[in-house]
Amino acid sequence: MNTYDKILAAALKVLEEEGGAQFSTRAVTAIAQVTAPTLYHHFGNADGLLSAAIVEAFKQLLESKIAAAESANPEMALRQGWDDYVRFAAARPRIYAAMMGRLLEGAHIEAADQSHQALVQNVQRVAAEGKLAVPAQAAADLVWASANTAAWLYVTAQFRKAPPPEPDVIDRIRESVMQIILIQRPDADSK
């Protein structure tokens, strides 16, 4: 692993363990076993390093969403993309919070745009099959909002001094939005 990648991996580790508010270059240099001048040579300053780590986290999230989008079944791809998004936040709540914080600060992150575009494309594939009960933009907005809602339940659990949400709660959030956006067809068993 080259020095740049070693520093970036260390930054992700610190971000994952400490969160954005406690992020420090000192912790990163200790983990990466590099000097501060080496870190600054590659990333300019602490904010440059934090930005690079957040961009990398978005790329990792995007990779899982692209795999889901390749499913032959558009409805399944939509659910898989939703699940992957929420699973990422559940596994890495501090990184997820830092990622969303950076977006709220106005950062433009290409992988974030591509992640949202993957959602829009999945919704459009479902629409092309005539299975949407609402306009495509509304469906994309509802899926996006519900995935972020479920994700924030994991992020805020520590602040609420609560355990992570029960899997059933997360499933209900996903399925309630799917019932809203998808045309409900009677099961073959109900005939």
Side-chain angles (χ1 to χ4, degrees):
M1 181 181 294
N2 67 34
T3 303
Y4 180 94
D5 290 340
K6 190 163 62 167
I7 296 169
L8 190 57
L12 284 168
K13 182 174 174 54
V14 170
L15 196 55
E16 195 154 351
E17 292 174 358
E18 304 296 330
Q22 302 300 320
F23 186 80
S24 80
T25 58
R26 182 169 293 174
V28 173
T29 58
I31 292 169
Q33 298 179 329
V34 298
T35 63
T38 300
L39 182 147
Y40 296 127
H41 167 75
H42 287 284
F43 297 95
N45 57 30
D47 191 59
L49 175 59
L50 183 57
S51 293
I54 289 171
V55 166
E56 178 60 26
F58 269 111
K59 287 178 183 176
Q60 292 171 5
L61 173 61
L62 178 61
E63 287 173 14
S64 69
K65 288 184 65 89
I66 288 173
E70 293 173 356
S71 173
N73 180 329
E75 284 183 55
M76 183 66 71
L78 199 55
R79 282 184 169 87
Q80 286 175 332
W82 194 99
D83 288 345
D84 287 344
Y85 186 91
V86 174
R87 213 174 0 258
F88 182 94
R92 304 170 87 181
R94 287 185 176 98
I95 286 181
Y96 177 82
M99 291 162 63
M100 294 301 112
R102 193 50 66 118
L103 289 178
L104 291 172
E105 291 169 357
H108 177 261
I109 300 172
E110 185 65 29
D113 293 344
Q114 291 171 345
S115 178
H116 188 265
Q117 190 57 38
L119 163 64
V120 170
Q121 289 170 351
N122 277 341
V123 168
Q124 289 170 343
R125 289 175 54 210
V126 173
E129 290 189 349
K131 295 181 178 179
L132 280 185
V134 299
Q137 184 60 53
D141 288 346
L142 287 163
V143 172
W144 184 255
S146 65
N148 278 289
T149 297
W152 280 102
L153 287 175
Y154 288 102
V155 171
T156 61
Q158 66 186 359
F159 305 118
R160 294 180 285 125
K161 296 184 178 19
E166 293 291 325
D168 184 54
V169 170
I170 300 303
D171 290 344
R172 286 180 185 209
I173 293 170
R174 182 194 60 235
E175 289 310 310
S176 65
V177 81
M178 294 301 163
Q179 285 182 347
I180 292 168
I181 69 167
L182 298 173
I183 293 174
Q184 303 302 310
R185 300 222 162 86
D187 291 337
D189 295 340
S190 64
K191 289 183 181 178

